[in-house]
């Protein structure tokens, strides 16, 4: 193979959408117990890349974190979650969505075995220190774990969420 040439920004831009996607409402990343705003910004960017929406609790600091973390010119779709996260998840499930938790549980399947989303899917992420609370785990149809062979106990939540989003979107 001859030496690869990095594509120019103009070449890459020509392959992208000219406008951000509207609410496709098919795949939703849900960091429902966020601690650090920077992770929300990272997830928002992955949502744009894979055509997903972001669902976040309506807390006073969250809008500013999203505004600050948005490094794209246009922002992707955000759903605001009012009240208790578990109740919102319950409503999503009753509405026919699959609820996929990204968590290290004793019943988690491995990321490689996770199929792409075939129906509306909510991907739930846990709190940076304490993970998905027990009430949230009760709402899951499925939990997925990203295998690790290092010394750390877990990945950064935005990294974990981004990996799973790509798989659910069928882009890897
Ligand atoms: C930093 S971890 C929380 C770890 C926390 N110490 C615990 O005991 O649950 C934050 C979130 O990232 C996600 N996460 C991180 N690493 C993961 C992995 N290897 N597999 C699945 N989810 C992971 C989960 O959503 C988790 O709740």
């Amino acid at each position: 193979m001859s030496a690869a040439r990095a594509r120019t920004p103009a070449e890459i831009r020509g392959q992208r959408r000219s406008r951000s996607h509207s609410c496709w409402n098919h795949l939703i990343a849900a960091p429902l117990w966020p601690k650090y705003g920077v992770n929300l910004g990272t997830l928002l960017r992955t949502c744009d890349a894979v055509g997903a929406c972001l669902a976040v609790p309506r807390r006073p600091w969250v809008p500013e974190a999203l505004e600050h973390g948005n490094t794209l010119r246009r922002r992707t779709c955000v759903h605001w979650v009012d009240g208790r996260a578990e109740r919102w998840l319950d409503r999503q499930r009753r509405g026919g969505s699959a609820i996929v938790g990204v968590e290290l549980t004793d019943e988690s399947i491995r990321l490689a075995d996770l199929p792409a989303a075939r129906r509306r899917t909510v991907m739930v992420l846990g709190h940076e220190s304490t993970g998905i609370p027990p009430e949230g785990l009760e709402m899951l149809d499925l939990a997925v774990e990203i295998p690790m062979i290092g010394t750390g106990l877990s990945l950064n939540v935005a990294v974990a969420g981004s990996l799973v989003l790509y798989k659910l979107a069928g882009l890897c």
Side-chain angles (χ1 to χ4, degrees), residues 16-17 21 24 27 45-52 114-117 162-172:
R16 297 286 187 265
R17 298 173 168 274
H21 65 83
W24 288 348
L27 183 55
R45 197 159 172 163
T46 305
C47 284
D48 171 80
V50 304
L114 179 71
S162 296
L163 289 168
V164 176
L165 270 182
Y166 261 88
K167 200 81 203 301
L168 287 171
L171 292 175
C172 67

Side-chain angles (χ1 to χ4, degrees), residues 1-6:
M1 178 181 152
S2 59
R5 178 186 64 84

Side-chain angles (χ1 to χ4, degrees), residues 125-137:
L125 293 162
H127 180 273
E128 281 88 336
S129 306
T130 53
I132 300 177
E135 320 82 73
L137 291 176

Side-chain angles (χ1 to χ4, degrees), residues 26-140:
H26 175 67
L27 183 55
I28 299 167
L32 298 176
W33 303 271
K35 184 178 178 188
Y36 301 121
V38 65
N39 290 326
L40 298 183
T42 303
L43 282 165
L44 195 60
R45 197 159 172 163
T46 305
C47 284
D48 171 80
V50 304
C53 305
L54 186 73
V56 280
R58 201 186 290 278
R59 294 197 193 144
W61 59 270
V62 170
E64 196 188 326
L66 291 178
E67 210 54 58
H68 191 70
N70 180 30
T71 49
L72 302 170
R73 274 185 299 170
R74 300 175 191 88
R75 198 164 92 177
T76 197
C77 173
V78 173
H79 297 234
W80 294 99
V81 176
D82 293 305
R84 294 186 65 81
E86 308 79 57
R87 292 223 181 109
W88 181 81
L89 280 175
D90 191 37
R91 283 199 299 276
Q92 304 306 306
R93 197 158 71 162
R94 285 171 196 270
S97 298
I99 313 293
V100 174
V102 180
E103 194 54 274
L104 300 134
T105 79
D106 56 357
E107 293 184 20
S108 296
I109 64 163
R110 292 162 66 94
L111 180 61
D113 297 327
L114 179 71
R118 294 190 194 93
R119 60 179 163 125
R120 187 178 189 270
T121 297
V122 176
M123 181 198 75
V124 183
L125 293 162
H127 180 273
E128 281 88 336
S129 306
T130 53
I132 300 177
E135 320 82 73
L137 291 176
E138 281 177 23
M139 295 294 149
L140 305 182

